């Protein structure tokens, strides 16, 4: 198959939502359609010992939440689909923000009973900033929830989206009869039997036909006719260009747990979702169909296989063909590397691949060469932008609880920080190590992983810091800058990239510092020009 055809058949998307809206369940069901897994394991149910395919780590299995972004691929109707399932829990939002740099489109999952939740708002905002095309999936229709029209209004108001329903529910909760698919003009009846892999659909191209009354009963049929008339009256027609430019969002209804409404979503997605898109680097815009390979690291995951101490760097391929055993330039280190066993992911199986194309995600075994945001090319100096570190919300001193294991502890911290689990700051005054995280749950994850993966134990001590601000090095020769460094010495630290960071202990002290040193610039993310 030609290079261009391979690009045309790639779709790479992320699934985002608030925790518990059913994101991992939806991922499982999509894989089921791709024939990638035979039975889907529910995340919560203890009866199925299998556990969800996309939840790798032990801590995820214990808590029933996804903490790391997983990468899953499958084939469906000749299309190669790459899913990045992101953690919904707000303590892991940073991982999700980074993942959004690697996707071409997004599916937003919303719980019918809870509606739009705060985590969804934040993530959708990031997608809107980047004009990422979004499809909305309203989940759990087999439970009692909000009225469909109220929900659509809420999505428009809270998320600032322009929605177009492409399917519509017939009833809800106990009265849930099925879904009318406006995209394909058919009715899918809900049997409530989750053992059935795929529900039957019945074509009803004319809503006024008596066939509809036979299928769902007269009352439900009349309600549906009124509602569809309203839908077509209120909402604009679906416009693919508007969807691709991020200014219109199609909506589907269903129940992922019962595998209902998922096929409609998938069929439409394959039809309309964008192919791999060009990406802006600091130097120029890079197009997928260029013949020279380039890609960037958006995630590093250590010890995916607990029996082998390995780290995988996840690379999103932006242009050209990635080939096994071919030397590529690591731009930041300015050295050539080659990879003998690049991994692709099909459900939970890792496979070694010889060639990968734009849109694909490849896992490269890493001995510590990569950090998040690194670029690989065939020789050209390109730096892809947009994988920043955010200012953490929580800060603690980290102490070694076992003096005999200090080497293991430092190695563990080092690798976990490269993975982007948290950020490490070293105080200028006394060299003490401070860990900053976006959410408090990360401290547990770090402690657990240090012990189970590196055999090191740590304890924490609280540290009263309000915000970490990166200090712009411009003007470091001035007297003002030197005085700032002298006066604020005990609040200064270096991050892993050796950038100077000011740890402000309160909003007030940050404000006072900014007033006292007006020419020094403070940044709340590590990436600034």
């Amino acid at each position: 198959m030609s290079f261009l055809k391979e690009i045309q058949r790639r779709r790479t998307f992320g699934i985002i939502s608030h925790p518990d809206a059913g994101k991992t369940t939806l991922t499982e069901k999509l894989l089921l359609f791709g024939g990638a897994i035979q039975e889907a394991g529910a995340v919560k149910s203890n009866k199925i010992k299998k556990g969800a395919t996309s939840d790798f780590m032990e801590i995820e299995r214990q808590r029933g939440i996804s903490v790391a972004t997983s990468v899953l691929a499958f084939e469906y109707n000749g299309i190669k689909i790459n899913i990045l399932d992101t953690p919904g829990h707000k303590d892991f939002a940073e991982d999700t923000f980074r993942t959004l740099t690697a996707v071409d489109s997004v599916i937003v999952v919303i719980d019918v009973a809870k509606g739009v939740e705060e985590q969804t708002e934040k993530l959708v905002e990031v997608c809107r900033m980047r004009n990422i095309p979004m499809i909305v999936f309203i989940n759990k229709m087999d439970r009692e929830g909000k009225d469909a029209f109220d929900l659509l209004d809420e999505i428009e108001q809270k998320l600032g989206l322009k929605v177009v329903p492409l399917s519509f529910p017939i009833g809800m909760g106990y009265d849930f009869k099925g879904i009318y698919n406006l995209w394909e003009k058919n009715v899918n009846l809900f049997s409530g039997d989750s053992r059935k892999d795929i529900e039957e659909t019945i074509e009803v191209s004319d809503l006024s036909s008596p066939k509809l009354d036979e299928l769902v009963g007269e009352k439900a049929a009349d309600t549906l006719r009124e509602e569809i008339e309203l839908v077509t009256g209120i909402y604009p027609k679906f416009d693919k260009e508007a969807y691709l430019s991020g200014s219109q969002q199609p909506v589907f209804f269903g129940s992922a747990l019962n595998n209902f409404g998922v096929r409609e979503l998938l069929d439409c997605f394959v039809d309309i979702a964008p192919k791999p898109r060009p990406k802006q680097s600091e130097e120029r815009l890079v197009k997928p169909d260029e013949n020279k390979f380039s890609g960037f690291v958006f995630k590093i995951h250590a010890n995916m296989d607990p029996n082998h101490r390995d780290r995988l760097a996840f690379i999103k391929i932006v242009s050209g063909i990635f080939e096994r055993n071919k030397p590529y330039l690591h731009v930041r280190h300015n050295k050539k590397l080659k990879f003998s066993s690049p991994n692709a992911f099909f459900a939970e199986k890792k496979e070694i691949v010889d060639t990968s194309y734009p849109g694909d995600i490849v896992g490269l075994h890493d001995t510590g060469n990569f950090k998040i945001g690194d670029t690989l090319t065939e020789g050209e100096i390109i730096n892809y932008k947009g994988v920043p570190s955010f200012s953490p919300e929580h800060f603690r001193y980290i102490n070694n609880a076992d003096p005999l294991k200090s080497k293991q502890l430092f190695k563990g911290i080092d690798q976990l920080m490269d993975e982007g689990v948290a950020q490490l700051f070293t105080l200028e005054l006394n060299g003490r190590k401070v860990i900053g995280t976006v959410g408090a749950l990360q401290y547990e994850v770090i402690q657990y992983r240090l012990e189970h993966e590196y055999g090191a134990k740590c304890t924490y001590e609280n540290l009263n810091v309000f915000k970490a601000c990166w200090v712009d090095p411009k003007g470091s020769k001035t007297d003002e800058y030197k005085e700032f460094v002298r006066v604020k010495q005990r609040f200064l630290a270096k991050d892993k990239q050796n950038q100077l960071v000011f740890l402000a202990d309160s909003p007030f002290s940050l404000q006072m510092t900014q007033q006292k040193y007006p020419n020094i610039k403070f940044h709340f993310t590590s990436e600034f020009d």
Side-chain angles (χ1 to χ4, degrees), residues 345-360:
F345 306 87
F346 288 94
E348 63 186 348
K349 294 186 284 293
K350 284 193 299 195
E351 295 180 4
I352 288 178
V353 285
D354 290 324
T355 49
S356 298
Y357 297 90
D360 284 340

Side-chain angles (χ1 to χ4, degrees), residues 126 218-219 222 268 312 320 399 436 450 503 527:
V126 176
E218 205 174 309
K219 192 173 160 216
D222 285 343
C268 175
L312 274 186
N399 299 321
L450 282 172
L503 302 175
E527 203 173 77

Side-chain angles (χ1 to χ4, degrees), residues 11-15 30 81-84 103-107 269:
R11 305 280 185 281
T12 304
F13 72 100
I15 301 189
L30 290 171
I81 297 177
N82 298 304
I83 306 182
L84 289 107
V103 301
D104 297 309
S105 67
V106 157
I107 291 180
F269 173 81

Side-chain angles (χ1 to χ4, degrees), residues 27-309:
T27 309
E28 292 279 301
K29 294 301 153 87
L30 290 171
L31 286 176
L32 205 57
F33 279 103
I37 46 177
Q38 264 42 66
E39 59 159 329
V43 184
K44 285 281 176 292
S45 154
N46 297 327
K47 291 194 287 288
I48 307 177
K49 281 286 174 273
K50 195 176 156 296
T53 310
S54 57
D55 286 3
F56 283 108
M57 282 152 75
E58 189 53 37
I59 204 159
E60 303 188 359
R61 295 206 173 96
Q62 291 171 0
R63 295 260 182 140
I65 55 169
S66 306
V67 295
T69 306
S70 10
V71 181
L72 304 152
F74 65 95
E75 294 261 345
Y76 181 74
N77 291 352
I79 298 288
K80 162 95 189 287
I81 297 177
N82 298 304
I83 306 182
L84 289 107
D85 178 20
T86 61
H89 197 288
K90 72 171 188 305
D91 287 4
F92 301 97
E94 204 167 336
D95 197 21
T96 305
F97 289 142
R98 289 197 202 107
T99 300
L100 291 175
T101 61
V103 301
D104 297 309
S105 67
V106 157
I107 291 180
V108 185
V109 183
I110 288 176
D111 180 326
V112 67
K114 295 181 182 148
V116 175
E117 296 172 272
E118 103 189 282
Q119 200 48 34
T120 321
E121 291 187 46
K122 280 191 189 148
L123 295 168
V124 167
E125 203 178 312
V126 176
C127 295
R128 281 180 47 214
M129 267 161 43
R130 301 201 164 117
N131 295 327
I132 299 175
M134 288 178 259
I135 294 180
V136 180
F137 182 70
I138 295 178
N139 193 17
K140 306 190 182 177
M141 288 310 296
D142 53 321
R143 302 188 187 176
E144 296 299 321
K146 301 185 177 187
D147 172 75
F149 285 107
D150 291 349
L151 258 176
L152 292 167
D153 283 352
E154 189 179 322
I155 291 168
E156 293 215 313
Q157 282 157 10
K158 282 197 177 167
L159 301 178
L161 302 181
K162 294 240 181 323
V163 300
V164 184
L166 291 186
S167 76
F168 209 79
I170 307 171
M172 167 200 303
Y174 292 118
D175 306 327
F176 184 51
K177 300 273 196 305
I179 279 167
Y180 177 67
N181 185 343
L182 289 98
W183 177 250
E184 296 171 11
K185 301 262 188 291
N186 60 26
V187 168
N188 189 348
L189 294 181
F190 180 63
S191 65
D193 180 0
S194 61
R195 287 191 304 267
K196 279 168 66 175
D197 268 4
I198 292 164
E199 305 281 342
E200 298 300 308
T201 52
I202 298 145
E203 192 163 329
V204 181
S205 44
D206 178 11
L207 277 180
S208 58
S209 91
K211 188 168 157 195
L212 185 64
D213 301 84
E214 284 165 37
L215 290 173
V216 298
E218 205 174 309
K219 192 173 160 216
D222 285 343
T223 311
L224 178 69
R225 289 181 185 116
E226 283 169 27
E227 290 183 329
I228 296 298
E229 200 173 309
L230 258 176
V231 167
T232 46
I234 303 173
Y235 295 101
K237 271 200 157 39
F238 173 66
D239 173 350
K240 189 170 169 181
E241 286 312 307
Y243 155 71
L244 289 173
S245 66
S247 54
Q248 192 190 65
Q249 289 77 24
V251 179
F252 285 88
F253 291 83
S255 159
L257 191 62
N258 291 296
N259 202 358
F260 192 79
V262 179
R263 185 193 61 77
E264 285 81 347
L265 172 73
L266 187 56
D267 284 348
C268 175
F269 173 81
V270 162
D271 213 4
I272 66 173
K275 301 164 193 59
R277 313 173 83 183
K279 187 164 175 68
Q280 189 64 48
S281 70
E282 284 174 23
E283 292 73 17
R284 63 186 187 83
L285 185 71
V286 180
K287 296 197 169 73
D289 55 5
E290 294 180 16
N291 54 11
K292 291 266 201 277
F293 160 78
S294 73
F296 66 97
V297 179
F298 67 92
K299 175 183 174 58
I300 292 173
H301 198 95
N303 308 329
M304 285 180 76
D305 178 351
N307 306 326
H308 301 283
R309 298 259 174 247

